[in-house]
Amino acid sequence: MSKDSMPTTMKTPVPSLQEAIENLEIALPAEGDGLEQDEESIVVRVEGAWMKIRLHDYNEVFPIQGLYEKWVYKVLQCGSPAKIRELLGEMLKRNDTDPANLTVLDLGAGNGVVAEELAKIGIREFVGVDLYQEAADAAERDRPGLYGEFVVGDLLDLPVSEAGKLEGRTFDCLACVAALGFGDIPPVVFASAYNRVRDGGWAAFTIKSDFLDPNDDSGFSTMIRGMIAEKVVDPLARERYTHRVSPTGSRLEYTAIIGRKMSDIPDSLIPSQG
Ligand SMILES: C[S@@+](CC[C@H](N)C(=O)[O-])C[C@H]1O[C@@H](n2cnc3c(N)ncnc32)[C@H](O)[C@@H]1O
């Protein structure tokens, strides 16, 4: 069909993700210095106008195709999904577990970068969970068909339609990458997702190393140390690595943990929310 004969109602085709990443014009503001991770922002040109967006305003980031990938993965060199893929792949192999048999609950799934990475080691079934509809829409736009299901909302307070998507499902693995703390996922939500995994299943997650420090007051340190001490999880692999760089080039250190789930996290180990 020639361009002139196209019906006027036909939508402009969505560019491929790679094209979008290449074409996007971005600039990091100089004020990157000394900002907390959740305060970082960027300016991006959208339809000819420059706009400033905060990294943690994910509902504004994901609708701009390619922005998250260009900013977090290209400029800030985030290596977390690849680290989890590498470590989980190794542990599954060592334990003779076929990745093709796993259903993964991807908590804080965003636009699907982690599931895409885990698909490279042969995992086929993913259920995403994210607070924002924009994440679900972006995942389907950029990685169509990757998620068998995508649940939008707070796991502790899901609308009936979203809760229904989880009914009757069992999970073999929880993945949670770059999404714990900093106003994102609190310990109680992590625990709720963990407890949906069957005993004997897997947990693969990354967390800022400081949150595991005994003096940390985010609640994660006490809960995760308790999980290990009370054999709620068998931590098979634990590695400190560079999650990404900050806008000024300093390294942000995270810890990746791959564990076997032994039992549910009891209420006594879950810090109260707030
Ligand atoms: C830094 S992004 C990480 C996305 C993806 N895991 C990755 O590594 O590319 C954090 C994600 O967690 C989501 N998130 C924050 N709080 C959440 C919550 N309470 N429940 C589910 N998702 C949440 C955000 O919407 C965002 O998509």
Side-chain angles (χ1 to χ4, degrees):
M1 186 188 293
S2 82
K3 211 177 165 193
D4 291 342
S5 61
M6 270 189 195
T8 48
T9 52
M10 194 172 268
K11 285 186 187 157
T12 318
V14 178
S16 77
L17 179 58
Q18 278 319 313
E19 264 178 283
I21 293 172
E22 277 157 31
N23 295 338
L24 208 58
E25 292 177 75
I26 58 172
L28 290 179
E31 70 192 20
D33 282 69
L35 287 181
E36 283 293 337
Q37 265 173 260
D38 54 356
E39 293 171 333
E40 292 173 22
S41 62
I42 202 162
V43 284
V44 55
R45 202 143 104 121
V46 182
E47 292 169 6
W50 288 95
M51 59 192 281
K52 186 172 175 179
I53 296 186
R54 234 170 49 100
L55 180 53
H56 275 231
D57 289 337
Y58 303 110
N59 54 332
E60 294 181 23
V61 174
F62 292 134
I64 303 174
Q65 193 182 27
L67 177 58
Y68 187 70
E69 286 81 356
K70 188 159 193 162
W71 185 1
V72 175
Y73 289 100
K74 277 194 127 170
V75 177
L76 302 180
Q77 301 159 33
C78 179
S80 284
K83 176 56 68 186
I84 277 294
R85 188 242 307 138
E86 173 199 320
L87 286 181
L88 182 61
E90 252 176 62
M91 291 305 120
L92 293 177
K93 209 174 264 174
R94 213 177 277 180
N95 286 273
D96 278 332
T97 301
D98 182 354
N101 294 332
L102 302 182
T103 298
V104 172
L105 181 63
D106 183 5
L107 177 65
N111 59 356
V113 177
V114 173
E116 180 175 68
E117 207 59 42
L118 294 181
K120 293 180 189 165
I121 56 170
I123 298 179
R124 296 195 199 127
E125 186 64 29
F126 298 95
V127 173
V129 179
D130 203 281
L131 268 191
Y132 296 111
Q133 182 61 47
E134 288 85 350
D137 293 344
E140 192 50 32
R141 176 193 63 206
D142 300 332
R143 299 171 178 86
L146 185 58
Y147 290 98
E149 200 65 87
F150 203 112
V151 176
V152 175
D154 178 347
L155 265 190
L156 302 179
D157 188 21
L158 288 175
V160 176
S161 59
E162 298 303 300
K165 295 178 183 173
L166 292 170
E167 244 165 54
R169 281 199 175 256
T170 51
F171 295 100
D172 309 291
C173 180
L174 168 67
C176 185
V177 176
L180 297 177
F182 287 113
D184 285 344
I185 294 167
V188 64
V189 171
F190 176 83
S192 153
Y194 184 90
N195 289 352
R196 289 170 189 264
V197 173
R198 66 170 170 82
D199 288 355
W202 297 81
F205 60 98
T206 72
I207 184 163
K208 191 174 168 74
S209 299
D210 290 350
F211 291 159
L212 295 174
D213 188 284
N215 297 320
D216 162 72
D217 62 3
S218 69
F220 281 109
S221 174
T222 312
M223 187 174 81
I224 292 171
R225 291 153 155 275
M227 286 168 67
I228 296 170
E230 294 190 21
K231 301 200 183 332
V232 166
V233 68
D234 181 8
L236 300 181
R238 185 177 170 143
E239 188 178 316
R240 289 165 91 106
Y241 69 99
T242 301
H243 159 57
R244 66 169 171 85
V245 294
S246 75
T248 49
S250 52
R251 292 166 185 225
L252 304 180
E253 197 194 274
Y254 272 51
T255 298
I257 296 177
I258 310 292
R260 254 355 243 275
K261 177 177 173 183
M262 313 299 281
S263 62
D264 279 0
I265 305 176
D267 287 347
S268 57
L269 286 181
I270 305 174
S272 57
Q273 208 168 8

